[in-house]
Amino acid sequence: MSSRFKAPSRRKIPWLKALLAATCLSTPGAALAQEAVTSDAEKPAETIIVVGQRDTPITVVPRGLSVSLGKADFEAINAINVEDLMKYAPNFFVRKRFAGDDNAVVALRGANTVQSARTIVMVDGFLVSNFLGNSFSFPPKWNVVGPADVRQFDIVYGPYSARYGGNSMGGVVSVTTEEPKKTGAYLNAQTMVMPFKEYGFDETFSGYSVEGGGTYVAQDGKLRLRAGFRRFDNVGQSMTYNLLTPATGTAAATPVSGAFVDPALATPVFGAASPVYVVQNQVRLRVAYDFAPGWTADAMLFGWTTDQTLRDTRTFLRDATGAQIGQGRVRFNNQIWNATGLTSSEFERTEYLAGLKLTGKLVGWDMRANLSRYWMPIWNTKTSRDYLTGQSNGAGTYQVQDSPGWYAADLTFDQSFGKHNIGFGLNANLYETAQNTFNVTNWSAATGQSFASSTAGKTHALGLWIEDAIDLTDTVTVTLGGRYDYWRAFDGSIARQSGAMLLADTYPTRTDSAFSPKASIQAEIVDGVVVQLSLGSATRFPTVGELFQGRIDDVTREIDPQSFDPNLRPERSTDITLMGRGRLGPVQITASAFYQDIEDAIFSFSGLNQFGTVVSSFKNVDLVTQSGLELIFEAKDLWVEGLDLNVSVSKMDATTIRNLANPETVGNRFPRIPEWRSSGNLRYKFSPKWRAFLGWRQATTPTSDLFGREGDVYGFQTDYFFLDTRLTYDFTDNVQLNLGVDNLNNDQAYVSHPLPQRTFVLDVKLKL
């Protein structure tokens, strides 16, 4: 069955992009007398605007708001998982529903928690962003490292450097692991306990982790190894509650009790998904070797297994005898309802990363090349059909992923020519996925399989870039750059079993390209006051999951055109950030104002097709604008020696300006982006051995959908205010005890799903 869809036409570049392009093309030539000058990363700290630690250089280009977090920041955090280490970063939120959550998507500024493809995440330069899709189901692969392995977290907000592709529309996160400096070993043990009470739950969930490893440095220093492991075992609270639905007809119904009537919800809560039992095992190896003067090869190998079991499905309904009722027609509060939607499931996944990086001098240029492969050879999900089949190991579905993953390559050259610091390079990636879904007679054993459906697809991207940072004076730098991106989506297919007939179709191959200019100027206008103005554009092309996620309709026996958009256009943003930094007494103040104009923003819509079937698909929103202000305060030894303070406050406005597909959404705040967000931490060393920390995270209520709906209950995106505490005691230089509490005030908040309640964390760290 051939496809009849056409590729989209090319669009004109907006006026600001054209202006930026003209500016970049006027960059002076590089044929200048060569003399040694420092790069951006090597300039004195006072001429670079970076929030946070300054002991080691930031590992990403600091244009736009740039944050660097190090050991002093990490020590103040109850880090159960590695993404926790960023929790107090300015205007930043991690959608982490429970300890061990696989779907921990970051939100920088206006890139919300279901737009995972708007952030590039790297570990030691290797790409770990899961651009197989764009939602909470495709988070970065944080667990490539454990909390004990991290030396530095660097975050840049916005797409202001040509070195990074269009997925940097939200920002870039770079994780740097510890460099082996001497032979040694380490071992960390941690336990976490969370009492949880809501609706039919009043119980305590707990877990633990053990992380350890060792380092080896050869006597001549040329060979350096770091090996580690982590075992994580935890039970998290239920992620979803199930509500009764009104029933019609005169069929018999079972009288029940036990449902919870919440005035904020449309109907009573009758049950919940099983608490999530998650077990993760990780092993990793990093090897570096200096094989020639100035040349280093660095390899990274990683393996990770995840098992999630959700077999403890809860129903709160009881009949007259006290027996549990998990599905069917029921009578509650003198009304007839249907109890549906409770299921059981099991999930397993095995993942690997293999990467090789080469750095050195090549004919006067600083060269860096890396190549990596991330793949998931095992990724299976088993789900029961309903509550009763879940309890009896009856019918269900079995979904098998066919080794999805990606390849990534990056090649960079940098050299200084007089006042010019030239950089150029290329990066490329290939993302591929395929999955089959089977109906099974025993969901837990996955036996009695019969084919149900399948999807597959690939995307390929290639980017070429060049930048010139021109030192006009010792305190004024102008940077001009641009990148060209080529994109291709291909091998997309879909199939479905409809009765005795197999329906199948293919998607057309699509190609597109874009040019993205960048410009920035930074200057110290008076002694101690630095300002930076950055402009940039970015084009984010659709992912496999956004393009190839349609459904075949049983009536037409073709791909339902309302279940996907074959002409889905790439997102195109134009960004401006104005920043300034100065000092007021002991407090360093950084202020940032930003504006982002996004054409054809990609967002998921839900609705009915012509046959009354609910379908969800990604569509373009014609124009979304985002703007905001950020204030960041940093102080060391504030008032008394040993008292450090970091505070950030942000105000944002994100609005749907034009949406021809659904005009009702125009004028509403864009979903999941709060108007106010703040965070901070207070650190006090009150003796050589004792340190105390207080942190907080806060945000106002965002809208939950494009129509501007708001709520303060399950199913909505809600406001939150979390207080976190931590106390550290050093028994010796090599033995440390930490006791902390996250969400000390026990605020109940939701990202549709319930977030963790008060959680106690105890960990012991040993170094040998």
Side-chain angles (χ1 to χ4, degrees):
M1 188 183 301
S2 62
S3 177
R4 304 185 301 276
F5 299 115
K6 297 186 295 181
S9 60
R10 297 294 302 277
R11 294 157 29 104
K12 295 182 179 180
I13 299 176
W15 68 270
L16 181 55
K17 295 182 183 178
L19 177 61
L20 281 170
T23 303
C24 292
L25 292 174
S26 66
T27 304
L32 304 171
Q34 295 189 34
E35 59 183 72
V37 298
T38 56
S39 67
D40 277 355
E42 297 169 333
K43 290 179 182 178
E46 60 269 15
T47 66
I48 300 292
I49 301 181
V50 176
V51 174
Q53 69 87 30
R54 293 169 181 82
D55 295 332
T56 55
I58 190 169
T59 60
V60 284
V61 176
R63 294 186 200 120
L65 179 60
S66 304
V67 177
S68 187
L69 307 174
K71 288 298 183 182
D73 304 285
F74 301 157
E75 194 174 47
I77 296 171
N78 299 313
I80 299 175
N81 300 113
V82 70
E83 62 271 16
D84 293 331
L85 295 173
M86 302 177 289
K87 66 170 66 173
Y88 303 124
N91 205 356
F92 194 91
F93 177 68
V94 180
R95 178 192 176 274
K96 179 183 171 183
R97 302 169 299 167
F98 61 94
D101 186 8
D102 275 341
N103 295 339
V105 174
V106 299
L108 295 81
R109 286 179 173 170
N112 70 32
T113 54
V114 292
Q115 294 175 310
S116 60
R118 285 191 182 178
T119 305
I120 294 175
V121 179
M122 300 171 290
V123 172
D124 291 331
F126 299 117
L127 183 66
V128 296
S129 293
N130 186 359
F131 296 146
L132 293 171
N134 180 39
S135 76
F136 52 77
S137 297
F138 300 93
K141 296 299 182 178
W142 301 113
N143 285 322
V144 166
V145 292
D149 264 349
V150 178
R151 185 197 81 201
Q152 191 170 325
F153 251 109
D154 295 323
I155 310 168
V156 172
Y157 301 61
Y160 298 110
S161 173
R163 296 169 186 262
Y164 312 112
N167 297 96
S168 67
M169 181 181 296
V172 179
V173 178
S174 172
V175 185
T176 305
T177 62
E178 289 281 7
E179 180 75 24
K181 297 177 181 178
K182 62 180 181 179
T183 300
Y186 65 96
L187 180 67
N188 297 347
Q190 182 183 77
T191 185
M192 47 275 184
V193 178
M194 182 187 66
F196 188 85
K197 185 175 183 179
E198 188 174 31
Y199 299 124
F201 288 98
D202 187 359
E203 58 190 281
T204 297
F205 300 109
S206 62
Y208 72 91
S209 69
V210 178
E211 181 177 10
T215 58
Y216 171 77
V217 177
Q219 190 171 2
D220 59 4
K222 291 185 176 181
L223 176 64
R224 302 176 297 280
L225 293 88
R226 183 179 178 94
F229 73 93
R230 191 175 194 232
R231 165 79 175 189
F232 183 88
D233 187 307
N234 184 53
V235 179
Q237 78 278 11
S238 294
M239 289 295 96
T240 58
Y241 296 112
N242 290 71
L243 279 61
L244 294 170
T245 56
T248 59
T250 60
T254 303
V256 296
S257 61
F260 291 84
V261 178
D262 188 334
L265 295 175
T267 61
V269 176
F270 82 91
S274 167
V276 185
Y277 176 43
V278 56
V279 176
Q280 298 175 348
N281 294 291
Q282 304 156 28
V283 292
R284 46 193 176 270
L285 174 66
R286 181 181 174 185
V287 182
Y289 184 70
D290 302 329
F291 60 90
W295 283 90
T296 299
D298 199 340
M300 185 174 183
L301 301 172
F302 162 80
W304 174 23
T305 66
T306 300
D307 291 280
Q308 289 188 9
T309 303
L310 292 87
R311 298 192 64 120
D312 189 14
T313 306
R314 305 296 181 87
T315 176
F316 310 141
L317 301 180
R318 301 293 185 270
D319 65 14
T321 68
Q324 296 181 355
I325 303 297
Q327 71 181 68
R329 288 171 60 88
V330 298
R331 178 184 292 274
F332 176 76
N333 277 2
N334 295 318
Q335 187 173 344
I336 305 299
W337 308 87
N338 283 321
T340 61
L342 291 177
T343 61
S344 300
S345 64
E346 294 178 347
F347 165 88
E348 63 173 343
R349 186 172 61 212
T350 299
E351 312 178 48
Y352 298 107
L353 168 68
L356 179 63
K357 179 165 54 179
L358 183 66
T359 57
K361 282 277 191 181
L362 187 64
V363 293
W365 291 83
D366 292 325
M367 187 210 76
R368 185 186 72 234
N370 59 35
L371 176 67
S372 63
R373 163 71 166 145
Y374 198 105
W375 73 105
M376 294 162 271
I378 300 174
W379 186 354
N380 305 326
T381 305
K382 298 179 286 188
T383 307
S384 70
R385 179 174 297 171
D386 51 37
Y387 176 79
L388 292 178
T389 57
Q391 302 297 303
S392 64
N393 289 333
T397 60
Y398 179 48
Q399 188 177 82
V400 182
Q401 305 284 340
D402 186 11
S403 207
W406 57 89
Y407 296 87
D410 187 81
L411 180 63
T412 298
F413 294 91
D414 288 282
Q415 190 175 179
S416 297
F417 299 91
K419 295 182 179 295
H420 294 260
N421 303 285
I422 306 292
F424 69 91
L426 64 87
N427 32 61
N429 62 65
L430 170 66
Y431 281 78
E432 54 188 0
T433 188
Q435 68 177 28
N436 293 292
T437 301
F438 302 90
N439 294 318
V440 294
T441 56
N442 183 315
W443 73 270
S444 182
T447 55
Q449 297 180 16
S450 60
F451 177 80
S453 63
S454 67
T455 61
K458 300 176 183 178
T459 60
H460 163 65
L462 173 66
L464 304 173
W465 61 269
I466 186 169
E467 280 190 341
D468 185 4
I470 309 165
D471 295 324
L472 299 181
T473 71
D474 290 341
T475 58
V476 180
T477 300
V478 173
T479 303
L480 302 173
R483 67 176 290 122
Y484 170 81
D485 288 289
Y486 170 81
W487 169 83
R488 180 171 177 248
F490 59 105
D491 287 353
S493 65
I494 187 171
R496 181 181 178 186
Q497 191 70 36
S498 179
M501 181 175 292
L502 177 66
L503 306 177
D505 207 342
T506 58
Y507 296 92
T509 295
R510 284 186 51 189
T511 61
D512 205 344
S513 61
F515 176 72
S516 302
K518 321 279 183 174
S520 180
I521 182 170
Q522 181 167 295
E524 186 175 16
I525 55 175
V526 297
D527 187 31
V529 178
V530 182
V531 296
Q532 182 192 86
L533 175 65
S534 299
L535 300 91
S537 66
T539 300
R540 186 189 74 78
F541 298 102
T543 62
V544 173
E546 290 166 311
L547 284 174
F548 305 140
Q549 42 76 58
R551 62 180 293 274
I552 292 181
D553 190 86
D554 285 330
V555 178
T556 64
R557 295 183 177 179
E558 295 180 349
I559 300 177
D560 182 351
Q562 295 189 40
S563 70
F564 85 117
D565 186 352
N567 297 321
L568 193 66
R569 298 181 296 276
E571 300 182 306
R572 303 175 189 271
S573 78
T574 303
D575 299 74
I576 304 173
T577 289
L578 175 63
M579 296 176 54
R581 186 188 67 199
R583 182 170 290 276
L584 183 62
V587 181
Q588 180 168 276
I589 303 173
T590 303
S592 172
F594 66 91
Y595 176 83
Q596 185 179 59
D597 179 307
I598 306 174
E599 297 183 52
D600 297 321
I602 300 174
F603 202 74
S604 180
F605 286 74
S606 294
L608 298 176
N609 67 6
Q610 65 269 40
F611 305 110
T613 302
V614 176
V615 293
S616 295
S617 61
F618 288 92
K619 303 291 185 184
N620 288 113
V621 179
D622 298 282
L623 180 62
V624 175
T625 62
Q626 302 177 20
S627 59
L629 298 170
E630 295 152 334
L631 280 175
I632 303 160
F633 306 89
E634 303 172 87
K636 293 188 179 299
D637 296 324
L638 180 66
W639 302 312
V640 296
E641 185 177 355
L643 181 63
D644 300 339
L645 176 68
N646 292 339
V647 178
S648 68
V649 180
S650 308
K651 187 182 187 303
M652 293 177 289
D653 177 38
T655 306
T656 300
I657 302 299
R658 186 172 64 251
N659 187 9
L660 298 180
N662 203 324
E664 294 178 56
T665 64
V666 173
N668 295 327
R669 285 165 49 205
F670 200 72
R672 297 177 179 240
I673 300 174
E675 183 179 5
W676 290 92
R677 185 183 278 149
S678 67
S679 64
N681 65 83
L682 187 69
R683 308 188 293 267
Y684 182 46
K685 184 175 184 179
F686 51 87
S687 82
K689 291 182 175 292
W690 287 95
R691 294 176 299 285
F693 311 95
L694 175 68
W696 64 92
R697 298 161 283 155
Q698 176 272 335
T700 55
T701 303
T703 58
S704 293
D705 58 25
L706 286 166
F707 297 96
R709 298 187 183 98
E710 294 182 10
D712 193 27
V713 71
Y714 166 73
F716 290 89
Q717 312 296 309
T718 71
D719 63 352
Y720 61 83
F721 177 64
F722 302 136
L723 280 174
D724 309 323
T725 61
R726 184 172 172 86
L727 186 65
T728 295
Y729 178 70
D730 293 326
F731 286 97
T732 69
D733 290 341
N734 297 322
V735 181
Q736 184 182 92
L737 176 69
N738 301 275
L739 175 63
V741 184
D742 276 349
N743 194 6
L744 177 67
N745 53 315
N746 205 29
D747 184 27
Q748 180 58 74
Y750 303 87
V751 283
S752 183
H753 311 279
L755 289 173
Q757 296 182 8
R758 183 183 296 118
T759 304
F760 300 88
V761 183
L762 173 68
D763 55 68
V764 179
K765 299 180 179 181
L766 308 176
K767 291 188 295 183
L768 302 175

